[in-house]
Amino acid sequence: MGANPYHNQHIDEFADCLDNSLYELQTHYDRILLQQQAQIEELTERVHELENKISPTPFQLEFQVTKDSLKKLRDSIMGAFRK
């Protein structure tokens, strides 16, 4: 492959360098994914704990929709967009 007697050695060195770089990148991203997985598991546990703490609503509400209450609701919603 040409006049350079070290041609194969250069190819091997380049391949080793490339392998090492890919290994470092893969290790870096694996570490990130493992941290994210641990955070997701922790959050899932916290959600389950919160769900277990929440009891069903101990009261019931009855309400009646009137023309005035709908107008007040509409005015407050539209007022939020105007600010």
Side-chain angles (χ1 to χ4, degrees):
M1 292 241 155
N4 188 349
Y6 299 106
H7 179 73
N8 289 339
Q9 181 181 350
H10 291 287
I11 291 175
D12 289 340
E13 288 173 358
F14 180 77
D16 289 341
C17 181
L18 189 59
D19 284 343
N20 289 337
S21 296
L22 290 174
Y23 176 77
E24 288 178 18
L25 281 172
Q26 187 62 45
T27 303
H28 173 73
Y29 289 118
D30 285 347
R31 195 174 312 122
I32 290 172
L33 288 173
L34 288 173
Q35 288 173 350
Q36 288 177 345
Q37 180 182 2
Q39 289 174 343
I40 289 170
E41 288 174 358
E42 180 184 337
L43 287 172
T44 303
E45 289 176 20
R46 290 174 60 190
V47 166
H48 287 296
E49 288 174 9
L50 288 172
E51 287 176 343
N52 291 337
K53 287 181 183 179
I54 296 174
S55 62
T57 308
F59 55 89
Q60 293 181 346
L61 295 175
E62 291 186 25
F63 58 93
Q64 186 175 11
V65 178
T66 63
K67 195 177 200 180
D68 292 333
S69 65
L70 288 175
K71 184 180 181 311
K72 286 180 185 178
L73 177 63
R74 187 195 65 191
D75 290 344
S76 23
I77 291 172
M78 295 308 291
F81 289 114
R82 290 186 187 124
K83 290 182 180 182

Coordinates of all heavy atoms in Angstrom, one line a residue:
M1 N 0.8 -1.2 0.0 CA 0.0 0.0 0.0 C 0.9 1.3 0.0 O 0.7 2.1 0.9 CB -0.9 0.0 1.2 CG -2.0 -1.0 1.3 SD -3.5 -0.1 1.3 CE -4.6 -1.3 0.6
G2 N 1.7 1.4 -0.9 CA 2.5 2.6 -1.0 C 3.9 2.3 -0.4 O 4.3 1.2 0.0
A3 N 4.7 3.4 -0.4 CA 6.1 3.3 0.0 C 6.3 3.5 1.5 O 7.4 3.3 2.0 CB 6.9 4.4 -0.7
N4 N 5.2 3.8 2.3 CA 5.3 4.0 3.7 C 5.3 2.7 4.4 O 4.3 2.0 4.5 CB 4.2 4.9 4.2 CG 4.4 5.4 5.6 OD1 5.2 4.8 6.3 ND2 3.6 6.3 6.0
P5 N 6.4 2.3 5.1 CA 6.4 1.0 5.8 C 5.6 1.0 7.1 O 5.2 0.0 7.6 CB 7.9 0.8 6.2 CG 8.5 2.2 6.2 CD 7.7 3.0 5.2
Y6 N 5.2 2.2 7.5 CA 4.4 2.3 8.8 C 2.9 2.5 8.5 O 2.1 2.9 9.4 CB 4.9 3.5 9.6 CG 6.3 3.3 10.0 CD1 7.3 4.1 9.5 CD2 6.6 2.4 11.0 CE1 8.6 3.9 9.9 CE2 7.9 2.2 11.4 CZ 8.9 3.0 10.9 OH 10.2 2.8 11.2
H7 N 2.5 2.3 7.2 CA 1.1 2.5 6.8 C 0.1 1.7 7.7 O -0.8 2.3 8.2 CB 0.9 2.1 5.3 CG -0.4 2.3 4.8 ND1 -1.0 3.5 4.5 CD2 -1.4 1.4 4.5 CE1 -2.2 3.4 4.1 NE2 -2.5 2.1 4.1
N8 N 0.3 0.5 7.9 CA -0.6 -0.3 8.7 C -0.6 0.1 10.1 O -1.6 0.1 10.8 CB -0.3 -1.8 8.6 CG -0.6 -2.4 7.2 OD1 -1.5 -1.8 6.5 ND2 0.0 -3.5 6.8
Q9 N 0.6 0.5 10.6 CA 0.7 1.0 12.0 C -0.1 2.2 12.2 O -0.8 2.4 13.2 CB 2.2 1.2 12.4 CG 2.3 1.7 13.8 CD 3.8 2.0 14.1 OE1 4.7 1.7 13.3 NE2 4.0 2.6 15.3
H10 N -0.1 3.1 11.2 CA -0.9 4.4 11.3 C -2.4 4.0 11.3 O -3.2 4.7 12.0 CB -0.5 5.3 10.1 CG 0.8 5.9 10.2 ND1 1.2 6.9 11.1 CD2 1.9 5.6 9.5 CE1 2.4 7.2 11.0 NE2 2.9 6.4 10.0
I11 N -2.8 3.1 10.5 CA -4.2 2.7 10.4 C -4.6 2.1 11.8 O -5.7 2.5 12.3 CB -4.4 1.7 9.3 CG1 -4.3 2.4 7.9 CG2 -5.8 1.1 9.4 CD1 -4.4 1.5 6.7
D12 N -3.8 1.3 12.3 CA -4.1 0.7 13.6 C -4.2 1.7 14.7 O -5.1 1.7 15.6 CB -3.1 -0.4 14.0 CG -3.2 -1.6 13.2 OD1 -4.2 -1.9 12.6 OD2 -2.2 -2.4 13.1
E13 N -3.3 2.7 14.7 CA -3.3 3.7 15.7 C -4.5 4.6 15.6 O -5.2 5.0 16.6 CB -2.0 4.6 15.6 CG -0.8 3.9 16.1 CD 0.5 4.7 15.8 OE1 0.4 5.8 15.2 OE2 1.6 4.3 16.2
F14 N -4.9 4.9 14.4 CA -6.1 5.7 14.1 C -7.3 5.0 14.6 O -8.2 5.5 15.2 CB -6.2 6.1 12.7 CG -7.4 6.9 12.3 CD1 -7.5 8.3 12.7 CD2 -8.5 6.3 11.7 CE1 -8.6 9.0 12.4 CE2 -9.7 7.1 11.5 CZ -9.7 8.4 11.8
A15 N -7.4 3.7 14.3 CA -8.6 2.9 14.7 C -8.6 2.8 16.2 O -9.7 2.9 16.8 CB -8.4 1.5 14.1
D16 N -7.5 2.6 16.9 CA -7.5 2.6 18.3 C -8.0 3.9 18.9 O -8.8 4.0 19.9 CB -6.1 2.3 18.9 CG -5.7 0.9 18.7 OD1 -6.6 0.0 18.4 OD2 -4.5 0.6 18.7
C17 N -7.5 5.0 18.3 CA -8.0 6.4 18.8 C -9.5 6.5 18.6 O -10.1 7.0 19.5 CB -7.2 7.4 18.0 SG -7.6 9.1 18.5
L18 N -10.0 6.1 17.5 CA -11.4 6.2 17.2 C -12.2 5.3 18.1 O -13.2 5.8 18.7 CB -11.7 5.8 15.7 CG -13.0 6.0 15.2 CD1 -13.4 7.5 15.2 CD2 -13.1 5.5 13.8
D19 N -11.7 4.1 18.4 CA -12.4 3.2 19.4 C -12.4 3.8 20.7 O -13.5 3.8 21.4 CB -11.7 1.9 19.4 CG -12.0 1.0 18.2 OD1 -13.0 1.2 17.5 OD2 -11.2 0.0 18.0
N20 N -11.3 4.4 21.2 CA -11.3 5.1 22.5 C -12.2 6.2 22.6 O -12.9 6.4 23.6 CB -9.9 5.5 22.8 CG -8.9 4.4 23.1 OD1 -9.4 3.3 23.5 ND2 -7.6 4.6 22.9
S21 N -12.3 7.0 21.5 CA -13.2 8.2 21.5 C -14.7 7.7 21.6 O -15.5 8.3 22.4 CB -13.0 9.0 20.3 OG -11.7 9.6 20.3
L22 N -15.0 6.7 20.8 CA -16.4 6.2 20.8 C -16.7 5.6 22.2 O -17.8 5.7 22.7 CB -16.6 5.2 19.7 CG -16.6 5.7 18.3 CD1 -16.6 4.6 17.3 CD2 -17.7 6.7 18.1
Y23 N -15.8 4.9 22.8 CA -16.0 4.3 24.1 C -16.3 5.4 25.2 O -17.2 5.3 26.0 CB -14.8 3.5 24.6 CG -14.9 2.9 25.9 CD1 -15.7 1.8 26.2 CD2 -14.2 3.5 27.0 CE1 -15.9 1.3 27.5 CE2 -14.4 3.0 28.3 CZ -15.2 1.9 28.5 OH -15.3 1.4 29.8
E24 N -15.5 6.5 25.1 CA -15.7 7.6 26.1 C -17.0 8.3 25.8 O -17.7 8.6 26.8 CB -14.5 8.6 25.9 CG -13.2 8.1 26.4 CD -12.1 9.2 26.2 OE1 -12.4 10.4 26.0 OE2 -10.9 8.8 26.3
L25 N -17.4 8.5 24.6 CA -18.7 9.0 24.3 C -19.9 8.1 24.8 O -20.8 8.6 25.4 CB -18.9 9.3 22.8 CG -18.2 10.5 22.3 CD1 -18.3 10.5 20.7 CD2 -18.8 11.8 22.8
Q26 N -19.7 6.8 24.5 CA -20.8 5.9 25.0 C -20.9 5.9 26.5 O -22.0 5.9 27.1 CB -20.5 4.5 24.4 CG -21.6 3.5 24.7 CD -22.9 3.9 24.0 OE1 -22.9 4.3 22.9 NE2 -24.0 3.9 24.7
T27 N -19.7 5.9 27.2 CA -19.7 5.9 28.6 C -20.4 7.1 29.2 O -21.2 7.1 30.1 CB -18.3 5.8 29.2 OG1 -17.7 4.6 28.6 CG2 -18.2 5.7 30.7
H28 N -20.1 8.3 28.6 CA -20.7 9.5 29.0 C -22.2 9.5 28.9 O -22.9 9.9 29.8 CB -20.1 10.7 28.1 CG -20.7 12.0 28.4 ND1 -20.5 12.8 29.5 CD2 -21.6 12.7 27.6 CE1 -21.2 13.9 29.4 NE2 -21.8 13.9 28.3
Y29 N -22.7 9.1 27.7 CA -24.1 9.1 27.5 C -24.8 8.0 28.3 O -25.9 8.2 28.8 CB -24.5 8.9 26.0 CG -24.1 10.2 25.2 CD1 -23.2 10.2 24.2 CD2 -24.8 11.4 25.5 CE1 -22.9 11.3 23.5 CE2 -24.5 12.5 24.9 CZ -23.5 12.5 23.9 OH -23.2 13.6 23.2
D30 N -24.1 6.9 28.5 CA -24.7 5.8 29.4 C -24.9 6.4 30.8 O -25.9 6.1 31.5 CB -23.8 4.6 29.5 CG -23.9 3.8 28.2 OD1 -24.9 4.0 27.4 OD2 -23.1 2.9 28.0
R31 N -23.9 7.1 31.3 CA -24.0 7.7 32.6 C -25.1 8.7 32.7 O -25.9 8.7 33.7 CB -22.6 8.4 33.0 CG -22.4 8.8 34.4 CD -21.1 9.3 34.7 NE -20.0 8.5 34.2 CZ -19.1 9.0 33.3 NH1 -19.1 10.3 32.9 NH2 -18.1 8.2 32.8
I32 N -25.3 9.5 31.7 CA -26.5 10.4 31.7 C -27.8 9.7 31.7 O -28.7 10.0 32.5 CB -26.4 11.3 30.4 CG1 -25.2 12.3 30.6 CG2 -27.7 12.1 30.2 CD1 -25.0 13.1 29.3
L33 N -27.9 8.6 30.9 CA -29.1 7.9 30.9 C -29.4 7.2 32.2 O -30.6 7.1 32.7 CB -29.1 6.8 29.7 CG -29.2 7.4 28.3 CD1 -29.0 6.3 27.3 CD2 -30.5 8.0 28.1
L34 N -28.4 6.7 32.9 CA -28.6 6.0 34.2 C -29.0 7.0 35.2 O -29.9 6.7 36.1 CB -27.3 5.3 34.6 CG -26.9 4.1 33.8 CD1 -25.5 3.5 34.2 CD2 -28.0 3.0 34.1
Q35 N -28.5 8.2 35.2 CA -28.9 9.3 36.1 C -30.4 9.7 35.8 O -31.1 9.8 36.8 CB -28.0 10.5 36.0 CG -26.6 10.4 36.5 CD -25.7 11.5 36.2 OE1 -26.1 12.4 35.4 NE2 -24.5 11.6 36.8
Q36 N -30.7 9.8 34.6 CA -32.1 10.1 34.3 C -33.1 9.0 34.7 O -34.1 9.2 35.2 CB -32.3 10.3 32.8 CG -31.7 11.7 32.3 CD -31.8 11.9 30.8 OE1 -32.0 10.9 30.1 NE2 -31.5 13.1 30.4
Q37 N -32.6 7.7 34.5 CA -33.5 6.6 35.0 C -33.6 6.6 36.5 O -34.8 6.4 37.0 CB -32.8 5.3 34.5 CG -33.6 4.1 34.9 CD -32.9 2.8 34.5 OE1 -31.8 2.8 34.0 NE2 -33.6 1.7 34.8
A38 N -32.6 6.9 37.2 CA -32.7 7.0 38.7 C -33.6 8.1 39.1 O -34.5 8.0 40.0 CB -31.3 7.2 39.3
Q39 N -33.6 9.3 38.4 CA -34.5 10.4 38.7 C -35.9 10.0 38.4 O -36.8 10.4 39.2 CB -34.0 11.6 37.9 CG -32.7 12.2 38.4 CD -32.3 13.4 37.5 OE1 -32.7 13.5 36.4 NE2 -31.4 14.2 38.0
I40 N -36.1 9.3 37.3 CA -37.5 8.9 36.9 C -38.0 8.0 38.0 O -39.2 8.1 38.4 CB -37.5 8.3 35.5 CG1 -37.3 9.5 34.5 CG2 -38.8 7.6 35.3 CD1 -37.1 9.0 33.1
E41 N -37.2 7.0 38.4 CA -37.7 6.0 39.4 C -38.0 6.7 40.7 O -39.0 6.4 41.4 CB -36.6 5.0 39.6 CG -36.5 4.0 38.4 CD -35.4 3.0 38.6 OE1 -34.6 3.1 39.6 OE2 -35.2 2.2 37.7
E42 N -37.1 7.7 41.1 CA -37.4 8.5 42.3 C -38.7 9.3 42.2 O -39.5 9.3 43.2 CB -36.2 9.4 42.6 CG -36.4 10.2 43.9 CD -35.3 11.2 44.1 OE1 -34.2 11.0 43.5 OE2 -35.5 12.2 44.8
L43 N -38.9 9.9 41.1 CA -40.1 10.7 40.9 C -41.4 9.8 40.9 O -42.4 10.1 41.5 CB -40.1 11.5 39.6 CG -39.1 12.7 39.6 CD1 -39.0 13.3 38.2 CD2 -39.6 13.7 40.6
T44 N -41.2 8.6 40.3 CA -42.3 7.7 40.3 C -42.7 7.2 41.7 O -43.9 7.2 42.1 CB -42.0 6.4 39.4 OG1 -41.6 6.9 38.1 CG2 -43.1 5.4 39.4
E45 N -41.7 7.0 42.5 CA -41.9 6.6 43.9 C -42.6 7.7 44.7 O -43.5 7.5 45.5 CB -40.6 6.2 44.6 CG -40.0 4.9 44.2 CD -38.7 4.6 44.8 OE1 -38.4 5.2 45.9 OE2 -37.9 3.8 44.2
R46 N -42.2 8.9 44.5 CA -42.8 10.1 45.1 C -44.2 10.3 44.7 O -45.1 10.6 45.5 CB -42.0 11.4 44.9 CG -40.6 11.3 45.5 CD -39.7 12.5 45.2 NE -40.3 13.8 45.5 CZ -39.9 14.9 45.1 NH1 -38.8 15.0 44.3 NH2 -40.5 16.1 45.4
V47 N -44.5 10.1 43.5 CA -45.9 10.2 43.0 C -46.8 9.1 43.6 O -47.9 9.4 44.1 CB -46.0 10.1 41.4 CG1 -47.4 9.8 41.0 CG2 -45.4 11.3 40.8
H48 N -46.2 7.9 43.7 CA -47.0 6.8 44.4 C -47.3 7.1 45.9 O -48.4 6.9 46.4 CB -46.3 5.5 44.2 CG -46.4 4.9 42.9 ND1 -47.5 4.5 42.3 CD2 -45.4 4.7 42.0 CE1 -47.3 4.0 41.1 NE2 -46.0 4.1 40.8
E49 N -46.3 7.7 46.5 CA -46.4 8.1 47.9 C -47.5 9.2 48.1 O -48.3 9.1 48.9 CB -45.1 8.6 48.5 CG -44.1 7.5 48.7 CD -42.7 8.1 49.2 OE1 -42.7 9.3 49.5 OE2 -41.8 7.3 49.2
L50 N -47.4 10.2 47.2 CA -48.4 11.2 47.2 C -49.8 10.7 46.9 O -50.8 11.1 47.5 CB -48.1 12.3 46.2 CG -46.9 13.2 46.6 CD1 -46.5 14.1 45.5 CD2 -47.2 14.0 47.9
E51 N -49.9 9.8 45.9 CA -51.2 9.2 45.6 C -51.8 8.4 46.8 O -53.0 8.5 47.1 CB -51.1 8.3 44.4 CG -51.0 9.0 43.1 CD -50.8 8.1 41.9 OE1 -50.4 6.9 42.1 OE2 -50.9 8.6 40.8
N52 N -50.9 7.8 47.6 CA -51.4 7.0 48.7 C -51.8 7.9 49.9 O -52.7 7.6 50.7 CB -50.3 6.0 49.2 CG -50.1 4.9 48.2 OD1 -50.9 4.6 47.4 ND2 -48.9 4.3 48.2
K53 N -51.2 9.1 49.9 CA -51.6 10.1 51.0 C -52.9 10.8 50.7 O -53.6 11.2 51.6 CB -50.5 11.1 51.2 CG -49.2 10.6 51.8 CD -48.2 11.7 52.0 CE -46.9 11.2 52.6 NZ -45.9 12.3 52.7
I54 N -53.2 10.9 49.5 CA -54.4 11.6 49.1 C -55.6 10.7 49.4 O -55.7 9.6 48.9 CB -54.4 12.0 47.6 CG1 -53.3 13.0 47.4 CG2 -55.7 12.6 47.2 CD1 -53.1 13.4 45.9
S55 N -56.5 11.2 50.2 CA -57.7 10.4 50.4 C -58.8 11.0 49.5 O -58.8 12.1 49.0 CB -58.1 10.6 51.9 OG -58.4 11.9 52.2
P56 N -59.9 10.2 49.3 CA -61.0 10.7 48.5 C -61.6 11.9 49.1 O -61.5 12.1 50.4 CB -62.0 9.5 48.5 CG -61.2 8.3 49.0 CD -60.0 8.8 49.7
T57 N -62.1 12.7 48.3 CA -62.7 14.0 48.8 C -63.8 13.7 49.9 O -64.7 13.0 49.6 CB -63.3 14.8 47.7 OG1 -62.3 14.9 46.6 CG2 -63.8 16.1 48.1
P58 N -63.7 14.3 51.1 CA -64.6 13.9 52.1 C -65.9 14.7 52.0 O -66.8 14.6 52.9 CB -63.9 14.3 53.4 CG -62.9 15.4 53.0 CD -62.6 15.1 51.5
F59 N -66.1 15.5 51.0 CA -67.3 16.3 50.9 C -67.7 16.4 49.4 O -66.9 16.1 48.5 CB -67.1 17.7 51.4 CG -66.0 18.5 50.8 CD1 -66.1 19.2 49.7 CD2 -64.7 18.4 51.3 CE1 -65.1 19.9 49.1 CE2 -63.6 19.1 50.8 CZ -63.8 19.8 49.6
Q60 N -68.9 16.7 49.2 CA -69.5 16.9 47.9 C -70.0 18.3 47.7 O -70.5 18.9 48.7 CB -70.6 15.9 47.6 CG -70.1 14.5 47.6 CD -71.3 13.5 47.3 OE1 -72.4 13.9 47.4 NE2 -70.9 12.3 46.9
L61 N -69.9 18.8 46.6 CA -70.4 20.1 46.3 C -71.6 20.1 45.4 O -71.6 19.3 44.4 CB -69.3 21.0 45.6 CG -68.1 21.3 46.4 CD1 -67.0 22.0 45.6 CD2 -68.4 22.1 47.7
E62 N -72.5 20.9 45.6 CA -73.6 21.0 44.7 C -73.7 22.5 44.4 O -73.6 23.4 45.2 CB -74.9 20.6 45.4 CG -75.0 19.1 45.6 CD -76.4 18.7 46.1 OE1 -77.4 19.5 45.9 OE2 -76.5 17.7 46.8
F63 N -73.8 22.8 43.1 CA -73.9 24.2 42.7 C -74.9 24.3 41.5 O -75.2 23.3 40.8 CB -72.5 24.7 42.3 CG -71.8 24.0 41.2 CD1 -72.0 24.4 39.9 CD2 -71.1 22.9 41.5 CE1 -71.4 23.7 38.9 CE2 -70.4 22.2 40.5 CZ -70.6 22.6 39.2
Q64 N -75.3 25.5 41.3 CA -76.3 25.8 40.3 C -75.7 26.8 39.4 O -75.2 27.9 39.8 CB -77.6 26.2 40.9 CG -78.7 26.4 39.9 CD -80.0 26.7 40.5 OE1 -80.0 27.0 41.7 NE2 -81.1 26.6 39.8
V65 N -75.7 26.6 38.1 CA -75.1 27.5 37.1 C -76.3 28.5 36.8 O -77.4 28.1 36.4 CB -74.7 26.8 35.9 CG1 -74.2 27.8 34.8 CG2 -73.6 25.8 36.2
T66 N -75.9 29.8 36.9 CA -76.9 30.8 36.5 C -76.3 31.7 35.5 O -75.1 31.6 35.2 CB -77.2 31.7 37.8 OG1 -76.1 32.4 38.2 CG2 -77.8 30.9 38.9
K67 N -77.1 32.5 34.9 CA -76.7 33.4 33.8 C -75.6 34.4 34.4 O -74.6 34.6 33.7 CB -77.9 34.2 33.3 CG -77.7 34.9 32.1 CD -79.1 35.6 31.7 CE -79.1 35.9 30.2 NZ -80.4 36.5 29.8
D68 N -75.9 34.9 35.6 CA -74.9 35.8 36.2 C -73.6 35.1 36.5 O -72.5 35.7 36.3 CB -75.5 36.4 37.5 CG -76.6 37.3 37.2 OD1 -76.7 37.9 36.1 OD2 -77.5 37.5 38.1
S69 N -73.6 33.9 37.0 CA -72.3 33.2 37.3 C -71.5 32.9 36.1 O -70.3 33.0 36.0 CB -72.6 31.9 38.1 OG -73.3 31.0 37.3
L70 N -72.2 32.5 35.0 CA -71.5 32.3 33.7 C -70.9 33.6 33.2 O -69.8 33.6 32.6 CB -72.5 31.7 32.6 CG -72.9 30.3 32.9 CD1 -73.9 29.9 31.8 CD2 -71.7 29.4 32.8
K71 N -71.6 34.7 33.3 CA -71.1 36.0 32.9 C -69.8 36.4 33.7 O -68.8 36.8 33.2 CB -72.2 37.1 33.1 CG -71.7 38.5 32.6 CD -72.8 39.5 32.7 CE -72.4 40.9 32.2 NZ -71.2 41.4 32.6
K72 N -69.9 36.2 35.1 CA -68.7 36.5 35.9 C -67.5 35.6 35.5 O -66.4 36.0 35.5 CB -69.1 36.2 37.4 CG -70.0 37.3 38.0 CD -70.3 37.0 39.4 CE -71.3 38.0 40.0 NZ -71.6 37.7 41.4
L73 N -67.8 34.3 35.2 CA -66.7 33.4 34.8 C -66.1 33.9 33.5 O -64.9 33.9 33.4 CB -67.3 32.0 34.7 CG -66.3 30.9 34.2 CD1 -65.2 30.8 35.2 CD2 -67.0 29.6 34.0
R74 N -67.0 34.2 32.5 CA -66.5 34.7 31.2 C -65.7 36.0 31.4 O -64.6 36.1 30.8 CB -67.6 34.9 30.3 CG -67.1 35.3 28.9 CD -68.2 35.9 28.0 NE -68.5 37.2 28.7 CZ -69.5 37.9 28.4 NH1 -70.4 37.5 27.5 NH2 -69.7 39.1 29.0
D75 N -66.2 36.9 32.2 CA -65.4 38.1 32.4 C -64.1 37.9 33.1 O -63.1 38.5 32.8 CB -66.3 39.1 33.3 CG -67.5 39.6 32.5 OD1 -67.5 39.5 31.3 OD2 -68.4 40.1 33.2
S76 N -64.0 37.0 34.1 CA -62.7 36.7 34.7 C -61.8 36.0 33.8 O -60.6 36.3 33.8 CB -62.8 35.9 36.0 OG -64.0 35.2 36.1
I77 N -62.2 35.1 32.9 CA -61.3 34.5 32.0 C -60.8 35.5 30.9 O -59.6 35.6 30.7 CB -62.1 33.3 31.3 CG1 -62.3 32.2 32.3 CG2 -61.2 32.8 30.1 CD1 -63.2 31.1 31.7
M78 N -61.7 36.3 30.4 CA -61.3 37.3 29.4 C -60.4 38.4 30.1 O -59.5 38.9 29.5 CB -62.5 38.0 28.8 CG -63.4 37.0 28.0 SD -62.5 36.1 26.7 CE -62.1 37.4 25.6
G79 N -60.7 38.7 31.3 CA -59.8 39.7 32.1 C -58.4 39.1 32.2 O -57.4 39.9 32.2
A80 N -58.3 37.8 32.4 CA -56.9 37.3 32.5 C -56.1 37.4 31.2 O -54.9 37.6 31.2 CB -57.0 35.8 32.9
F81 N -56.8 37.4 30.1 CA -56.1 37.5 28.8 C -55.8 39.0 28.5 O -54.9 39.3 27.7 CB -56.9 36.9 27.6 CG -57.0 35.4 27.7 CD1 -58.2 34.8 27.9 CD2 -55.9 34.7 27.5 CE1 -58.3 33.4 28.0 CE2 -55.9 33.3 27.5 CZ -57.1 32.7 27.8
R82 N -56.5 39.9 29.1 CA -56.3 41.3 28.8 C -55.1 41.9 29.6 O -54.6 42.9 29.2 CB -57.6 42.1 29.1 CG -58.7 41.7 28.1 CD -59.9 42.6 28.3 NE -61.0 42.2 27.4 CZ -62.2 41.8 27.9 NH1 -62.5 41.9 29.1 NH2 -63.1 41.4 27.0
K83 N -54.8 41.2 30.6 CA -53.7 41.8 31.5 C -52.4 41.6 30.9 O -51.9 40.9 30.2 CB -53.8 41.2 32.9 CG -55.0 41.6 33.6 CD -55.1 41.1 35.0 CE -56.3 41.6 35.7 NZ -56.4 41.1 37.0

